Amino acid sequence: MKKILILICSLFGLISNSQNQTRKILIENREIEWELVDSLLKKQIKNKVSIQNGINEIKKLLNFDNKNLITESELEKLINEFNSFTKKVLKENYLPNDIKGLYFGIFTSIDNNKEYITIYLSGSIISPMEDSEDWNVEPIYLPKMYMIPSYFEIIKSSNVELNGELEVLIYNGILNLIILENIETYKENIIKSSNEIYIGCGFDSGETYILGKLTQQGLK
């Protein structure tokens, strides 16, 4: 995934902060096995859980039963913000007919010595079924547009101890849930002459989660 990271930074004029995943997450003096995080995110994708149920599962893993990971109003704002960004990108940048995979990328950008969780959209003529490791490394569709979710900034500023693994659980996890529940609202801007397009999401320096295959009948 390093090639696309360099390309994105070059396009946006930003510097990316690489995240080296270890096997455990340390939060509030408690360790969480990375396998538990990975397993939860994959289970949520497989079961296509609702956004709220998915967030509750993330809170449970973090032992945040008495804490509010995201309020209703914050979640609504985040969903609207993300949907507006995605629709704008797809509307203003025609998706080529030969695209087989669409990737929502996440990386940590730095501007004026401050870190920001940043999201962009790219497309590849290679599907994850053809190359599971590098299908999204050299995209042919890469609009020079990105978003910095305001809610993610709230999380980052109030949790200075966040590390790469915890960011995957919270940022990648919540983004997966939003895409799963909203991807069909952009279907007319994605599925044209192609019968199917794979949808992926993940940090450039980590694993890409395949959310499914979008067809005229929906996300499979």
Side-chain angles (χ1 to χ4, degrees):
M1 299 296 293
K2 292 181 180 178
K3 292 181 183 177
I4 192 171
L5 191 57
I6 294 172
L7 182 58
I8 288 294
C9 294
S10 174
L11 282 174
F12 297 152
L14 301 169
I15 302 172
S16 176
N17 184 24
S18 178
Q19 303 171 25
N20 295 318
Q21 292 185 352
T22 57
R23 294 297 90 194
K24 292 184 179 181
I25 296 174
L26 181 63
I27 179 171
E28 297 184 345
N29 299 316
R30 190 169 61 90
E31 286 186 338
I32 301 176
E33 296 286 345
W34 166 249
E35 287 73 14
L36 293 177
V37 173
D38 187 56
S39 176
L40 174 61
L41 298 188
K42 288 178 178 175
K43 185 190 75 172
Q44 290 182 340
I45 293 168
K46 180 180 179 181
N47 296 337
K48 292 184 172 54
V49 300
S50 69
I51 296 176
Q52 196 56 64
N53 285 341
I55 288 174
N56 288 339
E57 290 175 348
I58 292 173
K59 284 178 58 180
K60 185 176 180 180
L61 184 58
L62 290 170
N63 198 21
F64 274 15
D65 293 337
N66 298 318
K67 295 183 181 181
N68 212 345
L69 183 59
I70 183 170
T71 66
E72 249 182 65
S73 60
E74 286 171 338
L75 179 58
E76 183 179 1
K77 182 179 179 181
L78 176 60
I79 292 171
N80 290 335
E81 188 179 20
F82 177 77
N83 286 344
S84 295
F85 165 75
T86 304
K87 289 176 181 177
K88 181 178 175 65
V89 174
L90 291 170
K91 184 177 180 180
E92 296 182 5
N93 301 271
Y94 182 84
L95 198 64
N97 290 331
D98 55 352
I99 292 293
K100 296 181 181 179
L102 198 61
Y103 173 65
F104 290 88
I106 313 168
F107 68 103
T108 305
S109 62
I110 299 177
D111 189 21
N112 292 325
N113 296 317
K114 184 176 179 180
E115 293 186 353
Y116 298 92
I117 298 299
T118 309
I119 297 169
Y120 66 95
L121 189 60
S122 69
S124 172
I125 58 174
I126 302 171
S127 79
M129 300 302 105
E130 294 171 310
D131 186 347
S132 61
E133 294 295 324
D134 296 321
W135 67 274
N136 54 342
V137 169
E138 296 180 345
I140 66 163
Y141 176 79
L142 189 59
K144 194 176 179 180
M145 300 174 71
Y146 65 94
M147 71 172 289
I148 298 173
S150 55
Y151 166 69
F152 286 177
E153 289 310 298
I154 294 173
I155 284 288
K156 197 163 188 64
S157 62
S158 60
N159 294 274
V160 294
E161 80 285 359
L162 282 183
N163 56 26
E165 295 82 2
L166 192 54
E167 288 181 343
V168 172
L169 176 60
I170 294 178
Y171 302 137
N172 205 163
I174 292 177
L175 193 56
N176 285 349
L177 295 168
I178 293 176
I179 296 170
L180 284 169
E181 200 160 294
N182 290 270
I183 191 67
E184 292 188 32
T185 65
Y186 332 127
K187 190 169 61 178
E188 67 276 8
N189 298 113
I190 299 175
I191 301 295
K192 297 184 178 69
S193 60
S194 299
N195 293 322
E196 56 188 43
I197 291 182
Y198 286 88
I199 307 297
C201 180
F203 274 92
D204 283 348
S205 54
E207 179 174 350
T208 298
Y209 289 92
I210 306 302
L211 306 183
K213 181 171 59 177
L214 186 63
T215 70
Q216 291 290 355
Q217 289 69 48
L219 190 66
K220 308 295 183 182

